[in-house]
PDB file of all heavy atoms in Angstrom:
ATOM      1  N   GLU A   2     -13.175  -9.899  -5.164  1.00  0.00           N
ATOM      2  CA  GLU A   2     -12.459 -10.209  -6.397  1.00  0.00           C
ATOM      3  C   GLU A   2     -11.254  -9.287  -6.507  1.00  0.00           C
ATOM      4  O   GLU A   2     -11.391  -8.068  -6.578  1.00  0.00           O
ATOM      5  CB  GLU A   2     -13.382 -10.002  -7.594  1.00  0.00           C
ATOM      6  CG  GLU A   2     -12.723 -10.288  -8.910  1.00  0.00           C
ATOM      7  CD  GLU A   2     -13.657  -9.993 -10.071  1.00  0.00           C
ATOM      8  OE1 GLU A   2     -14.867 -10.241  -9.943  1.00  0.00           O
ATOM      9  OE2 GLU A   2     -13.164  -9.494 -11.086  1.00  0.00           O
ATOM     10  N   LEU A   3     -10.059  -9.844  -6.487  1.00  0.00           N
ATOM     11  CA  LEU A   3      -8.851  -9.038  -6.565  1.00  0.00           C
ATOM     12  C   LEU A   3      -8.306  -9.022  -7.983  1.00  0.00           C
ATOM     13  O   LEU A   3      -8.225 -10.063  -8.631  1.00  0.00           O
ATOM     14  CB  LEU A   3      -7.774  -9.571  -5.626  1.00  0.00           C
ATOM     15  CG  LEU A   3      -8.042  -9.454  -4.139  1.00  0.00           C
ATOM     16  CD1 LEU A   3      -6.860  -9.990  -3.348  1.00  0.00           C
ATOM     17  CD2 LEU A   3      -8.311  -8.018  -3.750  1.00  0.00           C
ATOM     18  N   PHE A   5      -4.976  -8.370  -9.906  1.00  0.00           N
ATOM     19  CA  PHE A   5      -3.538  -8.237  -9.744  1.00  0.00           C
ATOM     20  C   PHE A   5      -3.043  -7.116 -10.646  1.00  0.00           C
ATOM     21  O   PHE A   5      -3.329  -7.093 -11.842  1.00  0.00           O
ATOM     22  CB  PHE A   5      -2.856  -9.556 -10.115  1.00  0.00           C
ATOM     23  CG  PHE A   5      -1.362  -9.490 -10.125  1.00  0.00           C
ATOM     24  CD1 PHE A   5      -0.648  -9.517  -8.943  1.00  0.00           C
ATOM     25  CD2 PHE A   5      -0.667  -9.412 -11.321  1.00  0.00           C
ATOM     26  CE1 PHE A   5       0.737  -9.466  -8.949  1.00  0.00           C
ATOM     27  CE2 PHE A   5       0.718  -9.363 -11.341  1.00  0.00           C
ATOM     28  CZ  PHE A   5       1.413  -9.388 -10.157  1.00  0.00           C
ATOM     29  N   ILE A   6      -2.317  -6.153 -10.065  1.00  0.00           N
ATOM     30  CA  ILE A   6      -1.754  -5.058 -10.839  1.00  0.00           C
ATOM     31  C   ILE A   6      -0.286  -5.315 -11.135  1.00  0.00           C
ATOM     32  O   ILE A   6       0.158  -5.207 -12.261  1.00  0.00           O
ATOM     33  CB  ILE A   6      -1.920  -3.705 -10.104  1.00  0.00           C
ATOM     34  CG1 ILE A   6      -3.398  -3.391  -9.882  1.00  0.00           C
ATOM     35  CG2 ILE A   6      -1.231  -2.588 -10.879  1.00  0.00           C
ATOM     36  CD1 ILE A   6      -4.223  -3.207 -11.147  1.00  0.00           C
ATOM     37  N   ILE A   8       3.849  -6.698  -9.306  1.00  0.00           N
ATOM     38  CA  ILE A   8       4.744  -7.077  -8.218  1.00  0.00           C
ATOM     39  C   ILE A   8       6.044  -6.299  -8.389  1.00  0.00           C
ATOM     40  O   ILE A   8       6.390  -5.881  -9.501  1.00  0.00           O
ATOM     41  CB  ILE A   8       4.964  -8.608  -8.235  1.00  0.00           C
ATOM     42  CG1 ILE A   8       5.614  -9.096  -6.951  1.00  0.00           C
ATOM     43  CG2 ILE A   8       5.748  -9.045  -9.456  1.00  0.00           C
ATOM     44  CD1 ILE A   8       5.573 -10.592  -6.770  1.00  0.00           C
ATOM     45  N   ASP A   9       6.754  -6.080  -7.324  1.00  0.00           N
ATOM     46  CA  ASP A   9       8.038  -5.391  -7.353  1.00  0.00           C
ATOM     47  C   ASP A   9       8.880  -5.945  -8.510  1.00  0.00           C
ATOM     48  O   ASP A   9       9.138  -7.139  -8.570  1.00  0.00           O
ATOM     49  CB  ASP A   9       8.751  -5.603  -6.019  1.00  0.00           C
ATOM     50  CG  ASP A   9      10.099  -4.932  -5.911  1.00  0.00           C
ATOM     51  OD1 ASP A   9      10.620  -4.420  -6.922  1.00  0.00           O
ATOM     52  OD2 ASP A   9      10.643  -4.915  -4.801  1.00  0.00           O
ATOM     53  N   PRO A  10       9.287  -5.096  -9.441  1.00  0.00           N
ATOM     54  CA  PRO A  10      10.028  -5.598 -10.594  1.00  0.00           C
ATOM     55  C   PRO A  10      11.382  -6.203 -10.246  1.00  0.00           C
ATOM     56  O   PRO A  10      11.935  -6.961 -11.037  1.00  0.00           O
ATOM     57  CB  PRO A  10      10.194  -4.367 -11.495  1.00  0.00           C
ATOM     58  CG  PRO A  10       9.951  -3.197 -10.625  1.00  0.00           C
ATOM     59  CD  PRO A  10       9.056  -3.657  -9.514  1.00  0.00           C
ATOM     60  N   SER A  17       7.321 -10.708  -2.268  1.00  0.00           N
ATOM     61  CA  SER A  17       7.680  -9.347  -2.649  1.00  0.00           C
ATOM     62  C   SER A  17       6.500  -8.393  -2.573  1.00  0.00           C
ATOM     63  O   SER A  17       5.343  -8.798  -2.674  1.00  0.00           O
ATOM     64  CB  SER A  17       8.217  -9.348  -4.068  1.00  0.00           C
ATOM     65  OG  SER A  17       9.409 -10.092  -4.130  1.00  0.00           O
ATOM     66  N   THR A  26     -14.856  -3.177  -4.310  1.00  0.00           N
ATOM     67  CA  THR A  26     -14.907  -1.898  -3.595  1.00  0.00           C
ATOM     68  C   THR A  26     -14.014  -0.821  -4.198  1.00  0.00           C
ATOM     69  O   THR A  26     -14.098   0.335  -3.806  1.00  0.00           O
ATOM     70  CB  THR A  26     -14.461  -2.091  -2.134  1.00  0.00           C
ATOM     71  OG1 THR A  26     -13.082  -2.508  -2.141  1.00  0.00           O
ATOM     72  CG2 THR A  26     -15.337  -3.092  -1.412  1.00  0.00           C
ATOM     73  N   ASP A  28     -10.929  -0.618  -3.597  1.00  0.00           N
ATOM     74  CA  ASP A  28      -9.869  -0.333  -2.644  1.00  0.00           C
ATOM     75  C   ASP A  28      -8.542  -0.827  -3.197  1.00  0.00           C
ATOM     76  O   ASP A  28      -8.495  -1.822  -3.931  1.00  0.00           O
ATOM     77  CB  ASP A  28     -10.121  -1.041  -1.310  1.00  0.00           C
ATOM     78  CG  ASP A  28     -11.281  -0.468  -0.530  1.00  0.00           C
ATOM     79  OD1 ASP A  28     -11.699   0.671  -0.829  1.00  0.00           O
ATOM     80  OD2 ASP A  28     -11.772  -1.167   0.376  1.00  0.00           O
ATOM     81  N   LEU A  29      -7.466  -0.131  -2.842  1.00  0.00           N
ATOM     82  CA  LEU A  29      -6.127  -0.617  -3.136  1.00  0.00           C
ATOM     83  C   LEU A  29      -5.741  -1.633  -2.068  1.00  0.00           C
ATOM     84  O   LEU A  29      -5.967  -1.394  -0.873  1.00  0.00           O
ATOM     85  CB  LEU A  29      -5.110   0.520  -3.103  1.00  0.00           C
ATOM     86  CG  LEU A  29      -5.074   1.468  -4.277  1.00  0.00           C
ATOM     87  CD1 LEU A  29      -4.104   2.598  -3.993  1.00  0.00           C
ATOM     88  CD2 LEU A  29      -4.701   0.763  -5.552  1.00  0.00           C
ATOM     89  N   ILE A  30      -5.165  -2.719  -2.471  1.00  0.00           N
ATOM     90  CA  ILE A  30      -4.619  -3.708  -1.547  1.00  0.00           C
ATOM     91  C   ILE A  30      -3.116  -3.736  -1.811  1.00  0.00           C
ATOM     92  O   ILE A  30      -2.689  -3.929  -2.947  1.00  0.00           O
ATOM     93  CB  ILE A  30      -5.225  -5.114  -1.791  1.00  0.00           C
ATOM     94  CG1 ILE A  30      -6.749  -5.077  -1.790  1.00  0.00           C
ATOM     95  CG2 ILE A  30      -4.661  -6.123  -0.794  1.00  0.00           C
ATOM     96  CD1 ILE A  30      -7.374  -4.762  -0.461  1.00  0.00           C
ATOM     97  N   VAL A  31      -2.326  -3.509  -0.763  1.00  0.00           N
ATOM     98  CA  VAL A  31      -0.893  -3.374  -0.927  1.00  0.00           C
ATOM     99  C   VAL A  31      -0.172  -4.306   0.027  1.00  0.00           C
ATOM    100  O   VAL A  31      -0.479  -4.343   1.221  1.00  0.00           O
ATOM    101  CB  VAL A  31      -0.451  -1.914  -0.654  1.00  0.00           C
ATOM    102  CG1 VAL A  31       1.048  -1.770  -0.776  1.00  0.00           C
ATOM    103  CG2 VAL A  31      -1.159  -0.963  -1.600  1.00  0.00           C
ATOM    104  N   ASP A  37      10.812  -0.890   9.988  1.00  0.00           N
ATOM    105  CA  ASP A  37      11.665  -1.289  11.095  1.00  0.00           C
ATOM    106  C   ASP A  37      11.289  -0.454  12.323  1.00  0.00           C
ATOM    107  O   ASP A  37      10.596   0.556  12.212  1.00  0.00           O
ATOM    108  CB  ASP A  37      13.146  -1.165  10.735  1.00  0.00           C
ATOM    109  CG  ASP A  37      13.584   0.239  10.401  1.00  0.00           C
ATOM    110  OD1 ASP A  37      13.172   1.182  11.112  1.00  0.00           O
ATOM    111  OD2 ASP A  37      14.336   0.405   9.425  1.00  0.00           O
ATOM    112  N   SER A  39      12.759   1.706  14.145  1.00  0.00           N
ATOM    113  CA  SER A  39      13.102   3.132  14.179  1.00  0.00           C
ATOM    114  C   SER A  39      12.119   3.947  13.342  1.00  0.00           C
ATOM    115  O   SER A  39      11.767   5.076  13.715  1.00  0.00           O
ATOM    116  CB  SER A  39      14.536   3.362  13.699  1.00  0.00           C
ATOM    117  OG  SER A  39      14.678   3.035  12.339  1.00  0.00           O
ATOM    118  N   LYS A  43       9.523   6.952  14.665  1.00  0.00           N
ATOM    119  CA  LYS A  43       9.364   8.262  14.018  1.00  0.00           C
ATOM    120  C   LYS A  43       7.889   8.566  13.798  1.00  0.00           C
ATOM    121  O   LYS A  43       7.432   9.690  14.023  1.00  0.00           O
ATOM    122  CB  LYS A  43      10.107   8.300  12.694  1.00  0.00           C
ATOM    123  CG  LYS A  43      11.605   8.266  12.822  1.00  0.00           C
ATOM    124  CD  LYS A  43      12.242   8.163  11.443  1.00  0.00           C
ATOM    125  CE  LYS A  43      13.706   7.810  11.544  1.00  0.00           C
ATOM    126  NZ  LYS A  43      14.290   7.532  10.225  1.00  0.00           N
ATOM    127  N   GLU A  51      -3.870  17.351  13.535  1.00  0.00           N
ATOM    128  CA  GLU A  51      -4.227  17.889  14.841  1.00  0.00           C
ATOM    129  C   GLU A  51      -5.395  17.125  15.441  1.00  0.00           C
ATOM    130  O   GLU A  51      -6.418  16.885  14.785  1.00  0.00           O
ATOM    131  CB  GLU A  51      -4.601  19.374  14.713  1.00  0.00           C
ATOM    132  CG  GLU A  51      -4.834  20.036  16.045  1.00  0.00           C
ATOM    133  CD  GLU A  51      -5.130  21.514  15.907  1.00  0.00           C
ATOM    134  OE1 GLU A  51      -4.777  22.110  14.877  1.00  0.00           O
ATOM    135  OE2 GLU A  51      -5.719  22.057  16.863  1.00  0.00           O
ATOM    136  N   GLY A  52      -5.225  16.696  16.693  1.00  0.00           N
ATOM    137  CA  GLY A  52      -6.266  15.969  17.388  1.00  0.00           C
ATOM    138  C   GLY A  52      -6.286  14.475  17.116  1.00  0.00           C
ATOM    139  O   GLY A  52      -7.037  13.736  17.735  1.00  0.00           O
ATOM    140  N   GLY A  56       1.036   7.519  16.089  1.00  0.00           N
ATOM    141  CA  GLY A  56       1.310   6.092  16.117  1.00  0.00           C
ATOM    142  C   GLY A  56       0.385   5.324  15.200  1.00  0.00           C
ATOM    143  O   GLY A  56      -0.464   5.876  14.517  1.00  0.00           O
ATOM    144  N   VAL A  57       0.584   4.021  15.182  1.00  0.00           N
ATOM    145  CA  VAL A  57      -0.188   3.122  14.328  1.00  0.00           C
ATOM    146  C   VAL A  57      -1.063   2.241  15.220  1.00  0.00           C
ATOM    147  O   VAL A  57      -0.540   1.490  16.044  1.00  0.00           O
ATOM    148  CB  VAL A  57       0.745   2.239  13.471  1.00  0.00           C
ATOM    149  CG1 VAL A  57      -0.059   1.320  12.581  1.00  0.00           C
ATOM    150  CG2 VAL A  57       1.695   3.105  12.650  1.00  0.00           C
ATOM    151  N   VAL A  63       1.524  -0.336   8.596  1.00  0.00           N
ATOM    152  CA  VAL A  63       2.215   0.567   7.687  1.00  0.00           C
ATOM    153  C   VAL A  63       3.277  -0.268   6.984  1.00  0.00           C
ATOM    154  O   VAL A  63       4.019  -1.011   7.628  1.00  0.00           O
ATOM    155  CB  VAL A  63       2.887   1.732   8.451  1.00  0.00           C
ATOM    156  CG1 VAL A  63       3.662   2.619   7.511  1.00  0.00           C
ATOM    157  CG2 VAL A  63       1.842   2.520   9.215  1.00  0.00           C
ATOM    158  N   ALA A  68      10.429   2.784  -4.305  1.00  0.00           N
ATOM    159  CA  ALA A  68      10.081   3.837  -5.256  1.00  0.00           C
ATOM    160  C   ALA A  68       9.897   3.279  -6.661  1.00  0.00           C
ATOM    161  O   ALA A  68       9.105   3.813  -7.441  1.00  0.00           O
ATOM    162  CB  ALA A  68      11.166   4.916  -5.254  1.00  0.00           C
ATOM    163  N   ARG A  69      10.560   2.192  -6.987  1.00  0.00           N
ATOM    164  CA  ARG A  69      10.434   1.610  -8.328  1.00  0.00           C
ATOM    165  C   ARG A  69       9.023   1.081  -8.599  1.00  0.00           C
ATOM    166  O   ARG A  69       8.697   0.738  -9.720  1.00  0.00           O
ATOM    167  CB  ARG A  69      11.476   0.523  -8.539  1.00  0.00           C
ATOM    168  CG  ARG A  69      11.346  -0.647  -7.599  1.00  0.00           C
ATOM    169  CD  ARG A  69      12.467  -1.671  -7.776  1.00  0.00           C
ATOM    170  NE  ARG A  69      12.451  -2.622  -6.693  1.00  0.00           N
ATOM    171  CZ  ARG A  69      13.216  -2.551  -5.618  1.00  0.00           C
ATOM    172  NH1 ARG A  69      14.067  -1.556  -5.475  1.00  0.00           N
ATOM    173  NH2 ARG A  69      13.138  -3.454  -4.670  1.00  0.00           N
ATOM    174  N   LEU A  74       1.532   1.653  -8.748  1.00  0.00           N
ATOM    175  CA  LEU A  74       0.504   2.387  -8.006  1.00  0.00           C
ATOM    176  C   LEU A  74      -0.298   3.283  -8.945  1.00  0.00           C
ATOM    177  O   LEU A  74      -1.516   3.394  -8.815  1.00  0.00           O
ATOM    178  CB  LEU A  74       1.132   3.202  -6.881  1.00  0.00           C
ATOM    179  CG  LEU A  74       1.711   2.370  -5.741  1.00  0.00           C
ATOM    180  CD1 LEU A  74       2.477   3.264  -4.775  1.00  0.00           C
ATOM    181  CD2 LEU A  74       0.630   1.602  -5.029  1.00  0.00           C
ATOM    182  N   GLU A  85     -16.159   0.830 -13.342  1.00  0.00           N
ATOM    183  CA  GLU A  85     -17.601   1.071 -13.373  1.00  0.00           C
ATOM    184  C   GLU A  85     -18.148   1.367 -11.979  1.00  0.00           C
ATOM    185  O   GLU A  85     -19.272   1.837 -11.839  1.00  0.00           O
ATOM    186  CB  GLU A  85     -18.315  -0.153 -13.945  1.00  0.00           C
ATOM    187  CG  GLU A  85     -17.960  -0.399 -15.406  1.00  0.00           C
ATOM    188  CD  GLU A  85     -18.581  -1.663 -15.938  1.00  0.00           C
ATOM    189  OE1 GLU A  85     -19.423  -2.269 -15.244  1.00  0.00           O
ATOM    190  OE2 GLU A  85     -18.221  -2.046 -17.054  1.00  0.00           O
ATOM    191  N   ARG A  87     -17.100   3.630  -9.898  1.00  0.00           N
ATOM    192  CA  ARG A  87     -16.953   5.052  -9.551  1.00  0.00           C
ATOM    193  C   ARG A  87     -18.177   5.834  -9.909  1.00  0.00           C
ATOM    194  O   ARG A  87     -18.954   5.608 -10.690  1.00  0.00           O
ATOM    195  CB  ARG A  87     -15.733   5.647 -10.223  1.00  0.00           C
ATOM    196  CG  ARG A  87     -14.511   5.042  -9.576  1.00  0.00           C
ATOM    197  CD  ARG A  87     -13.250   5.806  -9.567  1.00  0.00           C
ATOM    198  NE  ARG A  87     -13.179   7.207  -9.370  1.00  0.00           N
ATOM    199  CZ  ARG A  87     -13.102   7.821  -8.197  1.00  0.00           C
ATOM    200  NH1 ARG A  87     -13.263   7.181  -7.095  1.00  0.00           N
ATOM    201  NH2 ARG A  87     -12.915   9.105  -8.129  1.00  0.00           N
TER     202      ARG A  87
END
Side-chain angles (χ1 to χ4, degrees):
E2 180 183 323
L3 293 182
F5 174 78
I6 299 297
I8 193 167
D9 180 351
S17 296
T26 64
D28 290 342
L29 284 174
I30 308 293
V31 178
D37 62 43
S39 66
K43 291 174 193 172
E51 186 177 339
V57 180
V63 177
R69 62 184 169 263
L74 291 172
E85 295 176 9
R87 291 207 39 87

